[in-house]
Amino acid sequence: ASAGDMARALHESSFTWGVHASAVEGAGTLTAGPWKPLAIALAAIAVLLAVGLSWERVRPVPDPPALRFTLATPEALVPREYLAVAPDGGSAVLMYPDEDGQDRLWLWDFADGSRSIVDGPIGTPTDPVISPDGSEVAYHDTGDDGVKVSSLRGGGTRTLASGGCCMRWEADGYIYFGYGEPPAGIQRVLATGGEVEDVTELLPGERDHAYFHLLPGGETGVFTVSSSPRLLVAVDLSTGERTVIAEGERSYFTSSGHLVYAAADGKLMAAGFDPVALELTTAPTQVIDRLGMRIAGNLSDAKYALAANGTLLYWSEELEGEWAQFVWVDEFGRAEPVDPGMRFQAGGNIGAAFSLSPDGHRVAFRDQG
């Protein structure tokens, strides 16, 4: 409730650590507490940031403050990379285990720090995306390979289609998704249900299509093509004509006229974009360094989501692929490696099991290398 309460909590061994999403005024005056025994983490999945970050930052204006918070999960289970942020930036949906170790979708409210389990499948939901009005979440149920929609405030679940990777819920009322195995293009279905429509088709040398989003006017859209290298491609919905825009993946077009996307080297970029000429109008500007990237063979997936109001939610990672490293993290988010020369295989998308000794001097962990 206050900085004083925070300082006292740092010294109480019985304090339960949960989500901390509020900006703290005068954080530098807090009394230092026993952070090391509480804050050991993996650098590969170390910090989840909810950043009030407007894409006006490519112009010379001050950046809004970042909101840093921790996710408390039982038995040191680590949240997965799947995440979605509400259009107003006030909440997010993340996938991580419940008390029984089953993966669930969780709704986090940044205003009061509350969290609640979203109704839906247990152990199998991935790729969440929140509806434009913020009332529902669509996701891929890997248990039965279906596109499903659940209410965020209670109200049931409905199945819309088969497949469902890498979804986007657009203002035209459609949910666009890659339809899975075998590799294929983009399909779409109305969020209220109906016929599934094909949007794109694979060309020779393309593995799959993902993360389709509409451009203003609703006549064209941009999607990611899994090729070597990965490409951002625009498509005319009426003719199917395609235009290659740039190398990159998982893009968003913003109200400020920028195309935001992830580069292959783990940097988040923003560039001016003409949605009529379908071309970049400015040189790309780096917005985030060390963006989390899931690496799986020759494929990659950037771990971030961008809200309609410009709020960015992303995983920040120091290391690429499945390599991990232990770090100490202090109350201001500063990370220091436990042993700079030590790296190990944490198990990639499965997550890493580890436990700190009671005296804070040793750690037991699983190395899958």
Side-chain angles (χ1 to χ4, degrees), residues 147 149 158-161 169-177 187-197:
V147 177
V149 174
R158 60 186 181 274
T159 300
L160 301 179
W169 194 326
E170 294 299 306
D172 62 353
Y174 282 94
I175 296 172
Y176 292 79
F177 57 94
Q187 289 187 324
R188 71 179 185 179
V189 63
L190 283 171
T192 54
E195 182 181 354
V196 177
E197 304 174 6

Side-chain angles (χ1 to χ4, degrees), residues 104-181:
R104 305 292 296 270
L105 293 179
W106 295 75
L107 175 65
W108 288 74
D109 190 316
F110 297 150
D112 59 13
S114 63
R115 57 177 178 165
S116 57
I117 292 178
V118 177
D119 290 339
I122 300 175
T124 56
T126 65
D127 294 299
V129 60
I130 299 176
S131 63
D133 66 1
S135 66
E136 296 182 306
V137 59
Y139 52 91
H140 179 210
D141 182 354
T142 59
D144 60 10
D145 193 31
V147 177
K148 295 187 177 180
V149 174
S150 293
S151 171
L152 290 176
R153 305 297 176 185
T157 296
R158 60 186 181 274
T159 300
L160 301 179
S162 297
C165 168
C166 316
M167 286 179 283
R168 292 287 174 82
W169 194 326
E170 294 299 306
D172 62 353
Y174 282 94
I175 296 172
Y176 292 79
F177 57 94
Y179 58 101
E181 299 295 338

Side-chain angles (χ1 to χ4, degrees), residues 117-338:
I117 292 178
V118 177
D119 290 339
I122 300 175
T124 56
T126 65
D127 294 299
V129 60
I130 299 176
S131 63
D133 66 1
S135 66
E136 296 182 306
V137 59
Y139 52 91
H140 179 210
D141 182 354
T142 59
D144 60 10
D145 193 31
V147 177
K148 295 187 177 180
V149 174
S150 293
S151 171
L152 290 176
R153 305 297 176 185
T157 296
R158 60 186 181 274
T159 300
L160 301 179
S162 297
C165 168
C166 316
M167 286 179 283
R168 292 287 174 82
W169 194 326
E170 294 299 306
D172 62 353
Y174 282 94
I175 296 172
Y176 292 79
F177 57 94
Y179 58 101
E181 299 295 338
I186 300 292
Q187 289 187 324
R188 71 179 185 179
V189 63
L190 283 171
T192 54
E195 182 181 354
V196 177
E197 304 174 6
D198 292 329
V199 178
T200 67
E201 295 182 358
L202 292 182
L203 297 180
E206 298 177 351
R207 288 186 287 269
D208 57 63
H209 296 166
Y211 300 115
F212 180 95
H213 60 94
L214 282 179
L215 294 175
E219 297 178 354
T220 56
V222 178
F223 61 98
T224 300
V225 174
S226 293
S227 56
S228 298
R230 294 199 122 186
L231 298 174
L232 299 176
V233 176
V235 61
D236 186 305
L237 294 182
S238 61
T239 66
E241 181 181 357
R242 291 166 48 162
T243 303
V244 175
I245 299 170
E247 293 183 11
E249 63 181 270
R250 199 164 183 164
S251 62
Y252 293 83
F253 181 69
T254 72
S255 60
S256 61
H258 294 89
L259 193 69
V260 179
Y261 61 93
D265 58 1
K267 293 180 173 60
L268 191 65
M269 311 298 291
F273 180 68
D274 185 333
V276 176
L278 302 178
E279 61 184 15
L280 300 183
T281 58
T282 66
T285 299
Q286 177 181 306
V287 180
I288 297 294
D289 192 11
R290 295 172 179 162
L291 177 69
M293 301 287 286
R294 175 191 172 196
I295 308 296
N298 294 323
L299 302 178
S300 64
D301 195 8
K303 303 179 184 180
Y304 85 104
L306 182 61
N309 76 339
T311 298
L312 172 69
L313 187 69
Y314 69 100
W315 282 105
S316 176
E317 293 189 356
E318 295 287 341
L319 302 173
E320 296 182 356
E322 297 182 352
W323 286 105
Q325 183 180 52
F326 285 111
V327 298
W328 293 116
V329 182
D330 68 16
E331 62 266 45
F332 304 111
R334 295 183 294 252
E336 177 185 354
V338 172

Side-chain angles (χ1 to χ4, degrees), residues 58-75:
V58 298
R59 305 174 187 176
V61 295
D63 293 339
L67 302 179
R68 299 174 184 267
F69 60 92
T70 59
L71 296 174
T73 58
E75 303 297 330

